[in-house]
């Protein structure tokens, strides 16, 4: 199916097409190019994409978006980044369905994927979403440019670590529904306090389409701040959460062996469903999804079924059994990201697992002046989770090591490789092992090694 023709790309970007061609996909990483794709030759700080044009066509590219002369079929523009944004705007303009924007300090990607699954269950093949964590100044326009014109529902994740970033991204996405999952101390290195983080996340509401819906976390201490941010732009504001005052809230929850059974109030209706992923934070995520599906006019019953079938995401709650000498150990993969709120939430999940509890915790980055205090404060959730052995990874974990002295068996190591060596010495059949840290710590390599089996 044709996504773009060269004429459409030229019209969207103000560029000049060297030939007639049609593409089925868009990518700016030449390693991700597939047959029939458009390669966007971006000029970055580390590399110039024009150096990889030949490689992209060798992988099957049908055309390129360039700012330099090339012999390959292309659309030439003055600036390829600006042109990619133009393609994103054009893709959004030609799509007649509902668009949902998702942001928040924690749970963005998981909620986006759950929302995609919930909508796709009712409209299979007609739902588009941003892949991976493509949520920044390049990822959002790329995700928009990849959206088929026949899309009924588009789900876009938007992230930021500085004020003003979301204000721009939301004008590209122009959501009919804008959802904030939660506000937590993340990227505090770049903000004076948590209220400033809430203000930056609240920028998402500025791009709402007329009569759009703002979805706000009721349980957040910043709820009223977010409501105030949404009020000038939203036709309607909906709250979700575990507390009684939320518009979408649980009337009853029951913890299962895997996940939670929820009976929820959705406006004046009730809906019962199972959340396949364990933990109170996933109940909150699921309520946000239900609120968004309802606002988009989706099928709530089918959305509930999708939440019951949702699998874990690599780096964000995926679970598997690792072969260890004499048996198997459960691995909970939360290796992609970490901040104080998500650390506490996943340690609470570990608390309910059978067997001995082992935690491989990587340092939390971008916390600024409060970093030492935030790391030391993990001692409480770690003790509550009945962790018997902790492997603390990275220099910033020193305050936690000090707080745990004499209370928990732990080892403080400098890097992921050393953590893996230590883990191999202590892991045993029946263990439940949580692996979590900021992505830059590299704990995904520990998870990959565990997936291959521990000898």
């Amino acid at each position: 199916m044709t996504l773009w023709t060269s004429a459409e790309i030229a019209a969207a970007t103000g560029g000049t097409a060297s030939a007639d061609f049609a593409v089925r996909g868009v990518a700016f990483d030449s390693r991700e190019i597939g047959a029939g794709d458009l390669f966007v030759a971006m000029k970055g700080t580390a590399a110039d994409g024009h150096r990889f044009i030949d490689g992209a066509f060798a992988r099957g590219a049908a055309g390129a978006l360039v700012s330099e002369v090339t012999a390959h079929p292309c659309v030439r523009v003055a600036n390829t980044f600006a042109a990619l944004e133009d393609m994103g705007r054009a893709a959004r303009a030609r799509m007649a369905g509902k668009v949902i924007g998702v942001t928040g300090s924690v749970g963005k990607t998981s909620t986006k994927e759950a929302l995609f699954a919930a909508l796709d269950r009712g409209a299979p093949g007609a739902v588009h979403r941003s892949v991976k964590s493509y949520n920044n100044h390049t990822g959002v326009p790329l995700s928009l440019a990849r959206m088929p014109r026949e899309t009924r529902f588009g789900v876009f994740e938007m992230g930021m670590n500085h004020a003003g970033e979301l204000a721009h991204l939301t004008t590209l996405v122009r959501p009919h529904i804008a959802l904030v999952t939660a506000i937590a101390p993340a990227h505090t290195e770049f903000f004076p306090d948590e209220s400033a983080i809430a203000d930056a996340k609240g920028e998402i509401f500025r791009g709402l389409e007329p009569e759009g819906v703002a979805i706000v976390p009721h349980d957040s201490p910043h709820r009223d701040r977010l409501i105030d941010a949404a009020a000038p732009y939203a036709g309607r504001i909906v709250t979700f959460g575990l507390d009684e005052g939320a518009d979408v809230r649980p009337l009853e929850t029951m913890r299962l062996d895997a996940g939670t059974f929820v009976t929820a109030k959705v406006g004046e209706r009730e809906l019962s469903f199972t959340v396949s992923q364990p933990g109170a934070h996933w109940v909150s995520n699921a309520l946000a999804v239900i609120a968004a599906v309802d606002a988009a006019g989706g099928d709530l019953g089918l959305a509930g079924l999708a939440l019951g079938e949702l699998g874990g995401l690599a780096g964000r709650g995926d679970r598997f059994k690792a072969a260890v000498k004499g048996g198997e150990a459960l691995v909970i993969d939360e290796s992609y990201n970490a901040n104080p709120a998500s650390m506490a939430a996943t340690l609470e999940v570990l608390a309910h697992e059978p067997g001995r509890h082992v935690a491989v915790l990587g340092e939390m980055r971008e916390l600024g002046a409060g970093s030492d205090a935030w790391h030391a404060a993990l001692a409480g959730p770690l003790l509550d989770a009945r962790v018997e052995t902790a492997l603390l990874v990275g220099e910033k974990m020193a305050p936690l090591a000090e707080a745990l002295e004499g209370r928990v068996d732990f080892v403080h190591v400098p890097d992921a490789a050393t953590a893996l060596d230590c883990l191999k010495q202590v892991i045993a059949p029946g263990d439940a092992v949580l692996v979590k840290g900021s992505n830059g710590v590299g704990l995904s390599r520990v998870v990959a090694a565990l997936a291959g089996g521990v000898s």
Side-chain angles (χ1 to χ4, degrees):
M1 183 179 296
T2 297
L3 181 64
W4 293 93
T5 65
S6 55
E8 289 170 335
I9 297 169
T13 63
T16 303
S18 69
D20 290 333
F21 60 84
V23 300
R24 295 181 293 185
V26 183
F28 53 60
D29 186 335
S30 63
R31 296 166 297 184
E32 295 183 356
I33 287 290
D37 283 353
L38 176 75
F39 175 58
V40 182
M42 303 270 280
K43 291 188 176 182
T45 55
D48 183 348
H50 293 83
R51 292 168 42 202
F52 305 101
I53 292 175
D54 289 343
F57 278 89
R59 291 179 174 87
L65 185 64
V66 301
S67 59
E68 298 179 1
V69 174
T70 177
H72 296 287
C74 69
V75 173
R76 190 174 178 187
V77 295
N79 181 296
T80 51
F81 171 70
L84 179 61
E85 284 200 335
D86 288 338
M87 287 184 66
R89 291 186 184 95
R92 172 66 183 86
R94 72 186 185 183
M95 179 265 201
K98 293 287 187 180
V99 173
I100 305 169
V102 180
T103 193
S105 301
V106 292
K108 291 188 297 295
T109 302
S110 298
T111 300
K112 177 257 297 181
E113 289 295 326
L115 186 49
F116 169 80
L119 290 167
D120 190 64
R121 185 67 184 260
V127 185
H128 175 78
R129 93 287 206 185
S130 46
V131 299
K132 301 181 182 177
S133 290
Y134 282 6
N135 62 20
N136 63 4
H137 65 290
T138 54
V140 169
L142 176 67
S143 298
L144 284 165
R146 288 172 164 177
M147 180 167 58
R149 69 196 77 214
E150 303 85 2
T151 298
R152 286 181 54 191
F153 300 102
V155 185
F156 297 93
E157 177 183 346
M158 287 178 268
M160 63 90 207
N161 56 18
H162 289 84
E165 291 176 327
L166 274 179
H168 175 63
L169 294 178
T170 193
T171 62
L172 298 177
V173 175
R174 290 170 40 220
H176 298 93
I177 301 154
L179 162 63
V180 177
T181 59
I183 303 298
H187 310 300
T188 52
E189 179 180 353
F190 309 113
F191 295 94
D193 54 34
E194 205 170 279
S195 294
I197 296 173
D199 291 341
K201 295 296 184 183
E203 292 172 10
I204 192 174
F205 302 125
R206 300 181 192 179
L208 274 169
E209 289 288 270
E211 301 305 311
V213 180
I215 301 179
V216 172
H218 181 274
D219 305 345
S220 171
H222 307 287
R223 174 195 63 210
D224 293 343
R225 199 176 194 97
L226 290 169
I227 288 174
D228 288 345
Y233 307 99
R236 183 161 60 100
I237 298 173
V238 177
T239 62
F240 71 93
L242 306 181
D243 290 348
E244 183 156 342
D247 298 319
V248 180
R249 64 184 185 274
L251 298 174
E252 180 182 18
T253 62
M254 182 185 304
R255 184 182 293 274
L256 307 174
D257 289 341
T260 307
F261 179 77
V262 180
T263 298
K265 184 174 179 62
V266 186
E268 299 304 315
R269 294 157 294 166
E270 292 186 12
L271 176 70
S272 294
F273 58 94
T274 298
V275 184
S276 63
Q277 299 299 302
H281 63 298
W282 256 110
V283 174
S284 181
N285 290 347
L287 294 170
V289 168
I290 292 297
V293 171
D294 187 44
D299 189 310
L300 290 181
L302 292 178
L305 291 176
L307 289 169
E309 298 168 352
L310 195 67
L313 302 175
R316 295 182 173 88
D318 190 22
R319 292 168 165 241
F320 62 89
K321 292 294 182 71
V324 301
K325 188 175 182 180
E328 293 181 325
L330 171 67
V331 177
I332 304 172
D333 175 16
E334 289 277 359
S335 60
Y336 187 81
N337 210 348
N339 58 47
S342 64
M343 278 282 199
T346 50
L347 282 165
E348 193 274 336
V349 169
L350 179 64
H352 294 277
E353 296 298 334
R356 185 178 66 137
H357 295 167
V358 178
V360 183
L361 303 181
E363 64 185 21
M364 302 177 291
R365 297 183 174 176
E366 296 186 352
L367 292 181
S371 178
D372 285 357
W374 286 119
H375 281 87
L378 292 178
L382 192 145
L383 292 168
D384 291 343
R386 297 176 288 107
V387 172
E388 296 181 42
T389 300
L391 302 179
L392 311 179
V393 188
E395 181 181 350
K396 290 179 170 57
M397 276 294 186
L400 177 57
E402 184 176 345
L404 294 176
E405 193 69 50
R407 306 168 76 184
V408 171
D409 181 21
F410 73 88
V411 179
H412 185 198
V413 299
D415 52 43
T418 310
L420 178 59
D421 290 340
C422 292
L423 183 59
K424 288 179 178 179
Q425 302 304 313
V426 300
I427 195 169
D431 285 353
V433 182
L434 170 65
V435 183
K436 186 168 183 65
S438 288
N439 192 40
V441 181
L443 293 184
S444 60
R445 295 192 290 273
V446 174
V447 173
L450 292 172
V454 179
S455 57

